[in-house]
Amino acid sequence: MLYALCFLLFMIGLYCAITKKNMVKIVIGIMVMEYAVNLFLIMLGYRTNGIAPIIGKGDLNPETGQVLSSFINGSVDPLPQALVLTSIVISLGSLALMISLCIRIYGKYRTFDITKIRRLRG
Amino acid sequence: MLILYVLMLFMIIAAVIAVETRNLLSAVICVGSIGFVGSLMFLFLCAPDIAITQIVVEVLGLIILIRATISRDLTFISGDKEFFGVVVSIVLIAVIFLAGMKVLDTLPAFGTAIFTQVPDAASQVYLSEGLQRTGAANIVTSVILDFRAYDTLGEATVLFTSILGASAILRKKSRRRLG
């Protein structure tokens, strides 16, 4: 059910990115899609009553120093978390690039409407 | 469990408002609220590192977005829609919706992590041997800075390139021509 709600959020972002004619609205749609995808990847690694993948003192075997199996069987998936961390930072970079394009186009055409910036102006 | 549903519904409502409102500044504020609630959601999904990163990135992104929209004229979109564009949008949305419904059927129930059903998944190795091999108590840190450090290097490259492109686009003066 949570997956379906996440997919609904993705579809809202897709609708916004495809049908809106305002450039900033398109950027907003792409951002909403990014949130939905990141959230979905984290949800795939979630376990009910899971614990964060950080090893504390109580998770170690006092004699051997090995990680206890209760930690391995109770922790959530660390791999999507690491990759989503990368994805979030990259989304900031792409947002900066898209917004700078919008500001530049606004400075040239005085509008955000993508139907009015078709004609070329030197 | 209930808190996840509440936060998710809040995100969806904020997304609808952000998509449908006319005022660009309020749309931007709604996107910011989606981001912060998403950060809370990451916290409840046992991902504290991502929650912290999301807050930092959200603040920076909100500043960038407000810089783009503030003191700009309101753009009112005239309502003449082209037939071809509408058909293409509807077909695209329908195809992606059907594909997504197919995928939703194959997913395991929420709360059973997908890596537990694969016997020798990489995540099991990270969880069991991450401390011995890298010495980092935080497994996420050991993954991004040791097991998959090349990914992080590529991320830094992409970030640097995009910031370079943004500063090149926003440059006020064109470079003086030599010779």
Side-chain angles (χ1 to χ4, degrees):
Chain A
M1 188 60 194
L2 271 171
Y3 292 139
L5 287 176
C6 202
F7 183 58
L8 179 63
L9 190 65
F10 180 85
M11 290 305 287
I12 292 170
L14 185 75
Y15 162 77
C16 181
I18 286 182
T19 60
K20 293 292 170 182
K21 294 188 173 170
N22 193 327
M23 273 190 295
V24 181
K25 279 289 179 66
I26 293 175
V27 174
I28 284 172
I30 293 173
M31 284 187 72
V32 171
M33 279 156 75
E34 274 168 2
Y35 291 139
V37 170
N38 289 341
L39 205 56
F40 175 69
L41 288 176
I42 295 295
M43 276 180 190
L44 275 183
Y46 181 71
R47 257 191 250 217
T48 313
N49 301 322
I51 52 176
I54 298 174
I55 300 172
K57 277 222 174 78
D59 298 322
L60 290 176
N61 194 336
E63 282 94 33
T64 59
Q66 297 281 323
V67 181
L68 288 179
S69 64
S70 65
F71 175 75
I72 297 176
N73 292 327
S75 168
V76 299
D77 198 348
L79 185 56
Q81 295 196 10
L83 296 184
V84 165
L85 206 64
T86 307
S87 149
I88 288 176
V89 176
I90 286 179
S91 80
L92 178 68
S94 63
L95 171 73
L97 194 61
M98 286 188 287
I99 286 298
S100 59
L101 274 174
C102 289
I103 292 175
R104 203 68 178 161
I105 289 175
Y106 188 89
K108 201 154 188 72
Y109 292 94
R110 295 279 144 207
T111 180
F112 278 134
D113 191 346
I114 58 170
T115 58
K116 290 190 180 129
I117 57 180
R118 279 180 180 162
R119 63 193 189 284
L120 290 171
R121 271 172 31 177
Chain B
M1 200 57 163
L2 181 67
I3 189 79
L4 291 179
Y5 281 100
V6 173
L7 291 178
M8 197 78 218
L9 282 176
F10 184 89
M11 282 174 83
I12 288 172
I13 293 169
V16 170
I17 295 174
V19 168
E20 288 304 329
T21 182
R22 285 288 177 89
N23 193 348
L24 278 184
L25 195 56
S26 47
V28 166
I29 300 296
C30 283
V31 170
S33 77
I34 299 175
F36 284 115
V37 173
S39 155
L40 263 183
M41 192 128 175
F42 287 140
L43 209 53
F44 282 108
L45 287 172
C46 299
D49 305 275
I50 303 184
I52 296 168
T53 316
Q54 173 85 27
I55 286 182
V56 173
V57 165
E58 197 54 47
V59 170
L60 288 176
L62 212 55
I63 290 171
I64 294 171
L65 273 170
I66 288 176
R67 167 73 181 78
T69 53
I70 206 161
S71 77
R72 300 281 196 280
D73 292 335
L74 282 179
T75 314
F76 290 107
I77 310 294
S78 50
D80 50 335
K81 289 197 193 298
E82 299 169 22
F83 178 70
F84 181 70
V86 172
V87 169
V88 168
S89 321
I90 290 175
V91 168
L92 202 56
I93 288 178
V95 165
I96 293 179
F97 179 74
L98 290 177
M101 293 317 268
K102 281 285 215 191
V103 172
L104 279 183
D105 288 339
T106 65
L107 286 174
F110 180 74
T112 56
I114 212 162
F115 76 106
T116 55
Q117 294 158 10
V118 185
D120 49 354
S123 306
Q124 306 274 13
V125 179
Y126 296 155
L127 283 176
S128 56
E129 299 176 17
L131 185 61
Q132 276 83 32
R133 285 210 205 165
T134 66
N138 190 344
I139 304 291
V140 176
T141 323
S142 77
V143 172
I144 59 171
L145 291 180
D146 201 304
F147 289 113
R148 287 174 185 254
Y150 282 120
D151 274 352
T152 311
L153 182 66
E155 170 208 345
T157 313
V158 171
L159 193 64
F160 180 72
T161 313
S162 66
I163 299 302
L164 204 67
S167 61
I169 289 170
L170 284 180
R171 191 169 51 198
K172 282 273 164 47
K173 280 183 179 174
S174 64
R175 190 178 292 159
R176 197 175 300 149
R177 209 162 278 166
L178 295 174

